[in-house]
């Protein structure tokens, strides 16, 4: 027993130190620093790849450890990321870890260090971190090569909406580098002296070939770039559905959404996985996939549709029972049989699915509308009778079917178009007539309306017109091809019954009957006015006989056109009113309606006449007004030619406007619209037939303005100009009767006097004859002396010049006086004037011609007696020179002669003419104008001399006239 | 844009008619001049950048880039005009055929990378597909023209010793550079077709211009009547 106790104590003593030792090791772990840290770059994923190991794990056990990793950029002090990585560590295990950098790793140098701490529950807390490993530097720029410019990262693939950071690395000055995103310049931040970064947020998809980001160095035109592939976000498939048509094959469909394909990323593929059977199928198409139904009677299916691309995965799930997803195939052998004008039979087939029945739907369409719809249940063959259709009508019949055991979806439609057969027209054509009397007969124009499609029952080919005389047994038929809708018949003055039928390929319509009586009545019917409203007229009439079988209202849609567009409306016998409406009705146009009563014998007799406007308008023009019967107190206005029928409204009367200076209107007129100055006074004529108006009670010798306009219910006619009328004075007329004859008498007398003066002038004062044109001269030349000739003035030598000296302005210059008219010939130098007596002129020694000019005589006589006038020394030399020089004198005379034939120049007022008469009577000036020249025995020419009037001349006495007389050498010349 | 489309439509019509005319004739035309003229017209059309380069640039989104600066033809990818002029006719056709084969190969690779759903909707992709057809048309004419030269007096048929395979896209395989490589390649292609058209024009203007019949026809029908001097003037 003692031995046992001793052994037990010894064992405990041995175990105790062991347990104590063991407890002591676990409670004091030694920090383990990560060793052999290696860092590398994976450019594809822009990842830093770390691997390290832990040596000297205690007890060679697996320990749970936490590694803290620090990553710095550019310098060790700029830590960009710190994180822990927890894992189980084995002895001498190489640990790996990756870190994805947002910034491309090529853009900057990275530094990594790591430390660890045990995270094992076997060790009590607190636990201490190991020492940091030394910094590991990673610099990708070392391996870039020798290019001058780089852009990173290369070929980045991101999803739409992501943010991306780019950088460029330049070997030279950064200022020379410009960067672009698909041509648009972008601006970044300088990271290091030769690196700039660009951060792009929410990038958008541009094209499958990616978005180009490139930088250009201006020096040397260096270009570097990269492509950012922006993928559309892979969408979850929508509307995922599976169905079968034959319980053998399932067809699953879905909407895949946007394609995420890029040049570096293929289109996302789709995979079907069925969980019950654990089968999988990769689909070839993006939006559907077929699935072979197993033959082991699997009823339930649980499909998962999966899709993925490089960036994302998506999946949707669908569970269903196979027989609940049956959609039959499109029916086949769809045939239309026994088509006639009203009915047709459709037949079809369905592909059987086991022993199931099918529910089929038959539809009949017309003009795009469903007009019939019926459901039928069939096994395999279907049949349905389509009825109640219209003849000659296009229809579309179609059918579809659904699985009878459980309705899931209808099959696709199968359809066919068809047309029902024609049938004979069902109603008689609506016929009316227009009868025009001719000598001995009628022109009957028949009109009919085309049958509506529902009544024609096919294409109307022609209209048959059967004309039967009721008085004689004659009958004839006409066939009018469609689409004509009228024909003209010329009939004798008998009664005729006309049948009109419409015909198509299937038969004839009922006949429309109309009777033309042989003796139409000529009942005078007063036209009644009706008022229309917009496009309609309400008409009513009084029935004339009780046995009328109907009424017809007739009108023209275009009454102003020669083809007036005859319209009619047939009404039943009990109808006494109707509303005629037409889109052709226009405002301002008068429409005439005739209402006929149809007798049992189909004879139409005129019952009433109505006329009216759908809307009246003011008159389109004003009357052309003339005035008459103008007196000092009244005048009359007339507009007889004004047509009231052609106006766009019923003329209700006329408004006569009168304006005057009087404040008050004349009687019968009322003042209107004070604000309107042009209005004045108005007289309203309510009778449209009154086309004259007598305006009276006017003031004499006053001005009035009038204006006449017609008016309708819509108002006055157009504005016009006022016409002015002035009433005469009361005495004016009387004066007119006296003054006018007096004026006429005076005029008559004046005319008589004028002719008398002409006569007297010819008798008393004939014009001076032209010596060169004298007949006497020719007579002398031929008979007496061939040497005789007309004296040229240049050849004339004045014997004497009498200077008449009269004070200038002392008397009125006679016509033609005051002009230098002297002529002489200088035979010897002369400083004085000669005055030779007329008696010495050898006028009697030879023939002579004498002309006389009373005008000059008058002038000479006005000057007084001729006489010698000594030239005063005070006379200006120039003037004297003109006078005393024989040449000048001669020139002056010549000039005078010339001027005597024409116009005497003005301004030469210093010479007077002295007419030389055959028997001059000096000093007897008064006798000259009055005494006609005495015809001498021989012709005698009197030299007409011009005598200057100078102040130097001695003033003659009033009674003494100085004259100059030239005595010609008769032996030499005849003047 | 409307004008461009109309122009493209017209081009398509012309080339289509050329191809159709050949098909209607049941294969190759035996007319040397006709084939030469057709090839000349085809080369003239294909040198236009709107046939291939412009749609390519739009597809790749490079239209905002100064592609004339950055899409310059890489030297050596396509034979120069001088090189082509230095070739014999047969060698020229062989070179042309081989080069167009490379272009077709590259276009096929380009098309393969792009999803079908995009290509179906894009007018530019349709244009690229049409251009492929036109290139095949040129190759058909080469096929037809080559036998006509077999009877010629050309003893030596040097060909271009340039690349027989696709030039490597780029050392850096990033997509952007790959796009630029394609751009440069097509720039070179259009320049090449311009050179081809000029060389073919010289052919047409050469001594054989007056010959209305193909050498093949002449060799079959009238070889005995042809003078040696004329035969010596065959295109070189």
């Amino acid at each position: 027993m003692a031995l046992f106790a001793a052994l037990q104590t010894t064992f405990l003593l041995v175990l105790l130190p062991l347990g104590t030792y063991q407890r002591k090791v676990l409670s004091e772990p030694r920090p383990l620093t990560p060793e052999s840290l290696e860092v590398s770059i994976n450019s594809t994923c822009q990842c830093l790849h770390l691997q390290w190991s832990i040596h000297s794990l205690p007890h060679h056990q697996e320990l749970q450890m936490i590694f803290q990793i620090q990553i710095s950029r550019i310098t060790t002090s700029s830590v960009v990321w710190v994180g822990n990585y927890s894992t189980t560590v084995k002895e001498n295990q190489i640990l790996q870890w990756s870190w994805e950098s947002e910034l491309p790793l090529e853009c900057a140098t990275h530094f990594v260090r790591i430390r660890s701490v045990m995270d094992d529950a076997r060790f009590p807390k607190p636990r201490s971190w190991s020492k940091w490993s030394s910094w590991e530097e990673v610099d990708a720029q070392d391996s870039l090569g020798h290019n001058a410019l780089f852009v990173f990262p290369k070929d980045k693939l991101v999803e739409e909406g992501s943010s991306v950071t780019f950088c460029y690395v330049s070997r030279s000055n950064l200022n020379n580098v410009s960067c672009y995103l698909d041509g648009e310049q972008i601006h970044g931040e300088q990271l290091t002296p030769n690196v700039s970064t660009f951060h792009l947020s929410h990038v958008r998809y541009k094209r499958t070939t990616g978005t180009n980001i490139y930088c250009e160095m201006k020096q040397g035109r260096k270009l570097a770039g990269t492509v950012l592939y922006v993928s559309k976000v892979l969408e979850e498939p929508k509307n995922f559905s599976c169905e079968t048509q034959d319980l053998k094959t399932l067809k699953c469909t879905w909407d895949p959404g946007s394609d995420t394909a890029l040049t570096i990323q293929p289109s996302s593929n789709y995979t079907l996985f069925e969980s019950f059977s654990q089968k999988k199928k990769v689909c070839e198409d993006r939006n559907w996939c077929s699935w072979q139904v197993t033959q082991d009677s699997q009823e339930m299916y649980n499909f998962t549709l999966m899709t993925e691309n490089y960036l994302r995965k998506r999946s949707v799930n669908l569970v269903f029972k196979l027989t609940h997803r049956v959609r039959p195939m499109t029916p086949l052998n769809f045939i239309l049989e026994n088509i006639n004008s009203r009915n047709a039979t459709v037949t079809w087939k369905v592909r059987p699915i086991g022993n199931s029945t099918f529910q089929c739907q038959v539809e009949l369409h017309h003009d795009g509308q469903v007009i019939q719809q019926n459901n039928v249940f069939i096994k395999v063959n279907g049949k349905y009778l389509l009825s109640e259709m219209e003849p000659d009508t296009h229809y579309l019949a179609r059918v579809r079917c659904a699985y009878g055991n459980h309705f899931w979806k209808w099959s696709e439609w199968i359809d066919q178009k068809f047309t029902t057969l024609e049938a004979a027209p069902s109603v008689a054509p609506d016929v009316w007539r227009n009868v025009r009397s001719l000598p001995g007969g009628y022109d009957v124009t028949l009109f009919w309306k085309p049958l509506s499609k529902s009544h024609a029952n096919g294409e109307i080919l022609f209209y048959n017109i059967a004309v039967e005389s009721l008085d004689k047994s004659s009958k004839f038929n006409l066939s009018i091809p469609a689409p004509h809708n009228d024909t003209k018949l010329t009939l004798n003055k008998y009664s005729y019954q006309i049948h009109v039928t419409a015909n198509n390929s299937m038969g004839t319509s009922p006949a429309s009957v109309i009777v033309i009586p042989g003796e139409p009545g000529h009942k005078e019917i007063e036209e009644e006015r009706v008022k229309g409203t917009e496009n309609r007229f309400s008409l009513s009439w009084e029935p004339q006989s009780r046995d009328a079988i109907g009424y017809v209202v007739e009108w023209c849609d275009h009454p102003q056109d020669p083809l007036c567009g005859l319209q009619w409306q047939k009404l039943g016998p009990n109808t006494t009113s109707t509303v005629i409406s037409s889109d052709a009705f226009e405002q301002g146009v008068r429409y005439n309606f005739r209402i006929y009563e149809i007798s049992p014998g189909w004879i139409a007799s005129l019952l009433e006449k109505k006329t009216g406007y759908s809307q009246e308008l003011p008159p389109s023009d004003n009357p052309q007004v003339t005035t008459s019967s103008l007196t000092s107190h009244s005048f009359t206005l007339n507009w007889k030619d004004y047509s009231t029928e052609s106006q766009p409204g019923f003329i209700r009367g006329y408004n006569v406007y009168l304006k005057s200076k009087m404040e008050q209107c004349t009687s019968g007129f009322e003042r209107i619209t004070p604000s309107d100055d042009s209005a004045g006074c108005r007289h309203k004529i309510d009778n449209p037939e009154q086309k004259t108006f007598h305006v009276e009670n006017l003031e004499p010798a006053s001005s009035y303005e009038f204006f006449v306009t017609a008016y309708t219910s819509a108002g006055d006619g157009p504005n016009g100009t006022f016409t002015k009328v002035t009433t005469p004075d009361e005495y004016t007329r009387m004066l007119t009767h006296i003054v006018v004859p007096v004026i006429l008498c005076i005029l008559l007398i004046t005319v008589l006097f004028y002719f008398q003066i002409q006569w007297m002038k010819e008798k008393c004062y004939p014009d001076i004859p032209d010596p060169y044109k004298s007949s006497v001269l020719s007579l002398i030349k031929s008979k007496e002396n061939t040497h005789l000739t007309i004296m040229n003035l240049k050849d004339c030598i004045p014997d004497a010049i009498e200077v008449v000296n009269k004070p200038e302005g002392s008397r009125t210059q006679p016509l033609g006086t005051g002009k230098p008219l002297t002529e002489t010939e200088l035979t010897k130098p002369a400083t004085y004037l000669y005055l030779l007596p007329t008696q010495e002129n050898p006028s009697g020694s030879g023939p002579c011609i004498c002309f006389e000019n009373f005008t000059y005589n008058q002038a000479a006589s006005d000057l007084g007696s001729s006489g010698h006038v000594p030239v005063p020394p005070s006379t200006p030399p120039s003037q004297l020179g003109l006078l005393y020089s024989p040449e000048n004198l001669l020139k002056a005379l010549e000039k005078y002669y010339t001027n005597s034939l024409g116009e005497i120049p003005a301004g030469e007022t210093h010479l007077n003419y002295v007419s030389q008469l055959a028997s001059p009577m000096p000093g007897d000036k008064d006798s000259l104008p009055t005494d006609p020249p005495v015809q001498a025995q021989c012709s005698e020419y009197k030299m007409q001399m011009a005598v200057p009037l100078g102040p130097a001349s001695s003033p003659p006495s009033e009674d003494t006239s100085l004259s100059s007389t030239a005595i010609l050498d008769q032996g030499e010349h005849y003047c | 844009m409307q004008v461009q489309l109309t122009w493209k439509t017209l081009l398509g019509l012309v080339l289509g008619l050329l191809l159709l005319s050949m098909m209607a004739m049941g294969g190759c035309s035996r007319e040397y001049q006709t084939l030469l003229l057709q090839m000349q017209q085809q080369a003239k059309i294909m040198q236009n950048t709107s046939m291939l380069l412009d749609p390519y640039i739009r597809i790749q989104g490079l239209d905002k880039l100064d592609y004339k600066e950055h899409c310059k033809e890489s030297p050596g990818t396509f034979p120069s005009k001088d090189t082509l002029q230095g070739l014999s006719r047969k060698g020229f056709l062989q070179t042309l055929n081989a080069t167009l084969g490379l272009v077709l190969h590259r276009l096929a690779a380009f098309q393969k990378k792009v999803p079908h759903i995009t290509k179906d909707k894009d007018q530019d992709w349709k244009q690229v597909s049409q251009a492929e057809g036109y290139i095949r048309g040129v190759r058909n004419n080469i096929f037809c023209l080559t036998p006509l030269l077999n009877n010629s007096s050309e003893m030596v048929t040097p060909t271009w010793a340039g690349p027989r395979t696709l030039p490597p896209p780029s050392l850096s395989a990033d997509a952007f550079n790959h796009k630029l490589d394609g751009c440069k390649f097509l720039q070179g292609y259009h320049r090449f077709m311009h050179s081809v058209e000029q060389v073919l024009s010289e052919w047409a203007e050469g001594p054989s211009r007056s010959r209305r019949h193909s050498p093949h026809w002449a060799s079959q029908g009238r070889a005995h009547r042809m003078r040696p001097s004329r035969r010596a003037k065959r295109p070189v």
Side-chain angles (χ1 to χ4, degrees), chain A residues 409-420:
Chain A
K409 280 182 182 176
W410 290 107
S411 69
E412 293 291 330
W413 288 102
I414 184 168
D415 56 28
Q416 192 170 331
K417 292 178 180 175
F418 68 101
T419 305
T420 51

Side-chain angles (χ1 to χ4, degrees), chain A residues 764 850 852-854 857 917 919 928 930-936 942:
Chain A
C764 302
C850 180
E852 50 192 14
N853 187 331
F854 288 99
N857 285 342
L917 296 172
S919 54
L928 278 175
T930 53
D931 295 336
V934 178
Q935 181 67 41
K942 284 82 179 177

Side-chain angles (χ1 to χ4, degrees), chain A residues 154-155 182-183 207-210 212 214 216 221 223 225-227 229 259 261-263, chain B residues 58-62 64-66 69-70 113-115 117-118 173-176 179-180:
Chain A
K154 295 293 182 188
D155 308 344
D182 257 351
R207 61 182 76 85
T208 58
T209 56
N212 300 314
Y214 50 90
E216 190 176 24
R221 306 283 289 176
L223 183 74
T226 185
V227 180
Y229 292 97
D259 193 351
L262 299 168
T263 50
Chain B
R58 284 193 293 271
I59 288 168
Q60 297 287 27
L62 295 173
K64 300 285 176 59
L65 183 71
D66 184 8
E69 172 67 24
H70 299 293
K113 290 178 69 177
V114 180
I117 190 167
T118 307
D174 63 89
F176 185 74
K179 287 183 177 182
L180 287 183

Side-chain angles (χ1 to χ4, degrees), chain A residues 189-240:
Chain A
E189 295 177 1
Q190 189 168 349
L191 189 64
T192 64
N194 62 341
V195 176
S196 280
T197 61
F198 304 89
H199 187 74
L200 308 177
S201 300
H202 306 291
V203 290
R204 294 291 163 204
Y205 169 85
K206 286 246 176 137
R207 61 182 76 85
T208 58
T209 56
T211 306
N212 300 314
I213 298 169
Y214 50 90
C215 297
E216 190 176 24
M217 188 178 286
K218 291 175 184 170
Q219 286 180 337
R221 306 283 289 176
K222 298 290 183 185
L223 183 74
T226 185
V227 180
L228 173 64
Y229 292 97
V230 181
S231 167
K232 293 179 181 173
V233 178
L234 181 63
E235 299 174 45
E236 186 176 89
K238 301 179 185 70
N239 304 325
F240 179 41

Side-chain angles (χ1 to χ4, degrees), chain A residues 243-246 323-332 348-353 355-362 374-380 399-414:
Chain A
E243 62 188 24
T244 180
Q245 292 185 319
D246 51 7
T323 53
H324 290 182
R325 293 289 185 273
V326 179
R327 185 188 188 194
M329 283 189 241
T330 307
L332 63 160
W348 68 95
K349 281 186 178 181
V350 291
R351 291 184 177 87
I353 304 174
N355 290 322
S356 174
T357 57
F358 293 90
Q359 178 188 1
C360 295
Q361 192 172 56
V362 183
N374 293 284
N375 289 339
V376 292
F377 287 87
I378 64 168
K379 263 296 199 191
V380 176
V399 66
R400 62 181 178 178
C401 297
Y403 191 56
N405 292 355
H406 184 275
F407 181 86
W408 163 240
K409 280 182 182 176
W410 290 107
S411 69
E412 293 291 330
W413 288 102
I414 184 168

